[in-house]
Amino acid sequence: MAEKILVVGGGGREHAIIKALKKSPDCGEIWCAPGNGGISYDAKCKNIKSTDVDTMVGFAVEEKFDYVVVAQDDPLALGMVDALAAVGIPAFGPDKAAARIEASKVFSKDLMKKYGIPTAKYEAFDDPAKVMDYIRAEGKYPVVIKADGLALGKGVLICENEQQAAEGVKEIMLDKKFGASGNHVVVEEFLTGPEVSVLSFTDGKVVKPMVSSMDHKRANDHDTGLNTGGMGTIAPNPYYTPEVAAECMEKIFLPTIKAMNAEGCPFKGCLYFGLMLTPDGPKVIEYNCRFGDPETQVVLPLLEGDLLHIMQACTNGTLENEEVKFSDGAAACVILASGGYPVAYEKGKPITGLVDGQLPGEENVTVYHSGTAITEDGTLVTAGGRVLGVTATGPRLTNALSHAYEAAEKISFEKLHKRSDIGLRALKALAEKE
């Protein structure tokens, strides 16, 4: 029975989810809202803001969708899954209570403290003066200051000394640079070690992790420049060995699911674990209540199972019976961004090299559209900071990386910016292993 599906969101992550869903024999008509220019080659797009819960639910009822995938953090935090359930439409993603694991840093840190899940030492505050008293008393730098709420992945400051900390507190709590999400802050010890992202499927009972990945957050080569939503990713992450994976399952993944059940807010959907492999073992840096972007663009191309069936098993509580298998190969994604991102950048630059949004004649390469639009005369143009994600798969990371970069060379637009060192750290780690 072909199912009619709606994916909520409009970036590279949603494009990757749509491409993977379309491989399922049970996937019928597929829509995306709001979607973007490049996504419109793969799905019908409807321009509804992903945060407009009422309009989105009304549209889902009107179009009689069989299943909805809520892929973005904001609508999850606003309770879109709850609102869909209220009108009898099953959806992939956590309900509002469970989405707090990402939407509130204070909730997630308190959860970890209460249930003994390894994370950085922290305290939460709502009084700016007390923040500085605590930081001075701890006297350890660098120190991390985080805005409590959702700040598009940018509300985190790493302060090297007391002066920077005081400026950071002023920026978040007094100048409200991140709006109301800065009313409360979390002050955390600074952890060191390799970072690993692990996305996992869960139905609130079992956890089935996806292949691990490594994100590259800084705008420029050698991890310099400003923090971004992510400039590229590779999978699998070489630091995430089978031994580390077993330890994470025992000390972090299952305890988190149990903790959420104990708190009366079981988590169903995609739970993303941002981990730091410290000298004292793996610790949680952050949870996300949804697929990561751009991690999804390297993880899903390696999935061998049926994504639609897996997602529905998470919703229905039958994940135990569903096979979640990934190929033994590797994947690499290079983000092509607009010059000036993540600060100011121009939009509307024509993109050349693509036919119907993809690279013709390329095998094992997919172009995921993060920020593109199609003009009235049919021209594909840039429409965001991150424009495209060029993903290649291969038997080994070296093949995947060289292929992704070769493919990226065939695409151009004015002021295109990309990093030239995606995956180098991972290759170095692999070389050290051998």
Side-chain angles (χ1 to χ4, degrees):
M1 168 72 190
E3 307 236 344
K4 186 172 176 182
I5 299 165
L6 170 65
V7 176
V8 175
R13 161 186 50 213
E14 287 74 25
H15 198 188
I17 289 170
I18 287 164
K19 287 255 186 217
L21 283 171
K22 284 177 77 174
K23 292 180 185 165
S24 170
D26 293 331
C27 175
E29 194 178 309
I30 193 159
W31 285 70
C32 188
N36 66 39
I39 289 176
S40 70
Y41 295 114
D42 285 295
K44 294 185 176 181
C45 292
K46 177 76 173 174
N47 193 10
I48 300 172
K49 271 181 75 165
S50 58
T51 48
D52 186 345
V53 175
D54 293 346
T55 307
M56 193 71 79
V57 172
F59 173 65
V61 170
E62 184 191 330
E63 283 290 335
K64 300 188 173 65
F65 285 105
D66 296 303
Y67 195 62
V68 179
V69 177
V70 184
Q72 227 176 308
D73 47 3
D74 293 325
L76 289 167
L78 291 168
M80 189 175 282
V81 169
D82 315 56
L84 286 161
V87 294
I89 298 176
F92 180 81
D95 61 16
K96 187 175 182 172
R100 286 177 301 168
I101 200 162
E102 174 177 8
S104 166
K105 297 280 185 299
V106 174
F107 173 84
S108 69
K109 293 299 289 195
D110 288 350
L111 185 85
M112 288 185 266
K113 187 185 260 185
K114 183 172 172 183
Y115 292 94
I117 296 162
T119 188
K121 183 183 172 189
Y122 79 101
E123 288 297 332
F125 299 93
D126 50 17
D127 175 348
K130 287 187 176 152
V131 181
M132 285 315 297
D133 292 345
Y134 174 76
I135 290 174
R136 286 189 198 102
E138 284 289 308
K140 281 166 81 176
Y141 297 95
V143 63
V144 182
I145 305 176
K146 295 179 174 179
D148 173 47
L150 298 173
L152 296 170
K154 298 186 182 76
V156 177
L157 303 177
I158 296 168
C159 309
E160 302 290 345
N161 52 46
E162 190 180 319
Q163 187 194 342
Q164 281 187 11
E167 283 166 8
V169 169
K170 180 178 178 296
E171 203 174 276
I172 296 178
M173 300 192 82
L174 302 173
D175 304 345
K176 293 279 190 264
K177 186 178 172 188
F178 305 106
S181 68
N183 293 345
H184 300 271
V185 299
V186 171
V187 178
E188 242 177 41
E189 71 170 318
F190 181 76
L191 299 177
T192 57
E195 278 192 46
V196 180
S197 310
V198 181
L199 292 85
S200 62
F201 293 110
T202 178
D203 61 357
K205 295 178 287 195
V206 297
V207 182
K208 297 209 171 175
M210 298 180 225
V211 60
S212 63
S213 56
M214 183 190 284
D215 194 7
H216 299 68
K217 282 276 183 221
R218 297 292 183 130
N220 303 321
D221 284 3
H222 315 301
D223 294 320
T224 59
L226 292 170
N227 248 335
T228 69
M231 290 299 294
T233 30
I234 60 98
N237 187 320
Y239 292 104
Y240 192 71
T241 61
E243 296 73 40
V244 173
E247 189 178 348
C248 288
M249 182 58 86
E250 180 200 343
K251 294 182 178 166
I252 295 173
F253 302 168
L254 287 171
T256 300
I257 294 301
K258 286 185 181 139
M260 292 296 277
N261 286 332
E263 290 296 310
C265 48
F267 190 101
K268 293 179 171 192
C270 174
L271 184 53
Y272 165 120
F273 298 91
L275 306 169
M276 183 82 84
L277 307 182
T278 75
D280 306 326
K283 293 188 179 183
V284 177
I285 311 169
E286 62 169 357
Y287 294 113
N288 288 342
C289 64
R290 35 78 196 182
F291 283 94
D293 187 342
E295 290 92 345
T296 309
Q297 290 92 301
V298 286
V299 168
L300 288 185
L302 297 173
L303 176 68
E304 291 183 343
D306 183 315
L307 181 61
L308 178 56
H309 289 179
I310 295 167
M311 284 182 159
Q312 289 174 326
C314 292
T315 307
N316 302 333
T318 56
L319 186 60
E320 200 173 343
N321 316 326
E322 199 62 47
E323 191 182 24
V324 177
K325 191 170 173 292
F326 287 84
S327 80
D328 294 332
C333 174
V334 178
I335 298 288
L336 311 185
S338 298
Y341 171 77
V343 191
Y345 50 85
E346 294 169 23
K347 297 179 181 180
K349 307 290 183 195
I351 299 167
T352 58
L354 299 176
V355 176
D356 292 338
Q358 297 298 318
L359 281 166
E362 280 285 1
E363 271 190 40
N364 305 325
V365 171
T366 309
V367 180
Y368 295 114
H369 291 247
S370 300
T372 61
I374 295 173
T375 59
E376 300 220 324
D377 66 359
T379 311
L380 187 70
V381 297
T382 66
R386 292 186 294 177
V387 180
L388 300 165
V390 182
T391 296
T393 54
R396 282 181 302 283
L397 184 57
T398 42
N399 319 84
L401 276 167
S402 56
H403 201 162
Y405 271 110
E406 280 164 27
E409 285 302 315
K410 300 178 180 177
I411 303 170
S412 54
F413 53 85
E414 197 185 316
K415 296 189 179 157
L416 184 156
H417 168 66
K418 64 176 184 283
R419 278 181 56 167
S420 66
D421 65 343
I422 301 300
L424 285 192
R425 229 180 23 242
L427 290 176
K428 228 158 91 184
L430 285 169
E432 282 161 14
K433 272 186 177 176
E434 282 166 10

